[in-house]
Amino acid sequence: MLGEADYVAHTNYSFILRETVEIAKLIEQGVSSEEIRDIAIDRDLFELRAIASRQRALQTIQKRLRSVASPYIELLAKGNSDIQRFTNLFIILRENRLLQELIKEVLLSKLKNFEKRIFKTDLQIFFTAKREQSSTIAAWSESTYQKTQSNTLKILTEAGFLKSITPRGSYEIYALPVPLPLQQQLKSDGLEHFLILMLNPINN
């Protein structure tokens, strides 16, 4: 359900789809956590120069994947690019209240009014309201607030749901059907409400 968890600042490693898929494949192959760490960090699976960056990326991915059942890891490891993209978004949505509310209160609101464009002012109103309404967000430093705002939008652009348009800071919304294997898994697990948050046209 929306609103149950408090807000968490997400300032790094937004969508990281390629890296998440690579780790999911290793898990599916039965590779141990120690071996995964060796491959990701010592052998530089993520192609990141700094060791600390590799460690943080791996921690982010492992935390996300530990929070979901094995069928979703299998979808990431073995699905086509669309299945991987939507599954990755679902995993991120589960832990990101601000992202959930941005979709519900801005994207879905626009689509219900047959509008497909989001303007900078729409986003400013949303993020300012959240900062005023939540003592948690209000307590974030300005840097953390700006990075979280940027990353929240970056997730939706990298997931293919938003595309930058002019004027600067504006976006067009793209709503595509959620791939059937993921739809079926979500419904089987009683998580079909996430289909709405993933803009599945049948549900909107």
Side-chain angles (χ1 to χ4, degrees):
M1 296 293 291
L2 292 176
E4 288 185 344
D6 206 347
Y7 298 100
V8 175
H10 296 277
T11 58
N12 292 303
Y13 305 108
S14 51
F15 205 58
I16 48 176
L17 175 59
R18 180 185 67 82
E19 296 86 344
T20 301
V21 168
E22 291 300 323
I23 296 299
K25 288 179 178 178
L26 293 173
I27 293 172
E28 272 295 296
Q29 293 166 14
V31 178
S32 70
S33 297
E34 293 76 13
E35 289 177 290
I36 289 175
R37 186 186 184 284
D38 175 64
I39 294 169
I41 297 176
D42 296 338
R43 303 186 208 172
D44 191 16
L45 177 66
F46 304 148
E47 299 177 0
L48 296 169
R49 181 173 297 179
I51 295 291
S53 296
R54 301 174 197 175
Q55 291 172 331
R56 286 195 296 268
L58 179 60
Q59 288 170 358
T60 297
I61 293 168
Q62 288 181 321
K63 180 182 176 183
R64 288 176 180 175
L65 296 184
R66 278 197 297 265
S67 72
V68 294
S70 57
Y72 299 100
I73 295 176
E74 183 177 353
L75 288 172
L76 278 171
K78 299 179 179 179
N80 62 30
S81 59
D82 285 338
I83 292 173
Q84 291 171 339
R85 179 165 53 88
F86 275 92
T87 302
N88 197 46
L89 178 63
F90 158 68
I91 292 171
I92 293 170
L93 274 170
R94 293 177 75 248
E95 63 176 21
N96 194 323
R97 177 180 172 182
L98 189 62
L99 178 60
Q100 290 181 21
E101 292 179 351
L102 175 61
I103 293 171
K104 183 181 180 184
E105 298 173 24
V106 181
L107 276 68
L108 284 172
S109 178
K110 288 278 186 177
L111 291 174
K112 286 176 181 176
N113 289 320
F114 303 101
E115 299 175 35
K116 291 196 68 177
R117 292 196 169 186
I118 295 173
F119 297 98
K120 188 175 182 179
T121 51
D122 298 317
L123 297 168
Q124 288 175 332
I125 290 169
F126 170 81
F127 285 112
T128 299
K130 294 302 170 184
R131 199 176 199 182
E132 293 172 349
Q133 295 163 7
S134 168
S135 59
T136 299
I137 297 177
W140 293 347
S141 68
E142 183 63 24
S143 174
T144 296
Y145 171 74
Q146 293 295 338
K147 286 180 180 178
T148 297
Q149 180 176 329
S150 175
N151 249 20
T152 303
L153 291 168
K154 189 176 180 182
I155 288 168
L156 292 175
T157 56
E158 292 184 350
F161 284 28
L162 293 181
K163 182 178 180 180
S164 294
I165 56 171
T166 52
R168 185 176 179 181
S170 300
Y171 300 88
E172 186 161 352
I173 305 170
Y174 286 81
L176 299 172
V178 175
L180 189 57
L182 179 57
Q183 284 195 46
Q184 293 171 334
Q185 188 62 50
L186 289 171
K187 290 176 181 177
S188 174
D189 292 336
L191 298 170
E192 56 267 32
H193 55 282
F194 280 98
L195 293 172
I196 298 172
L197 290 173
M198 289 189 281
L199 309 184
N200 193 48
I202 297 172
N203 296 86
N204 296 328

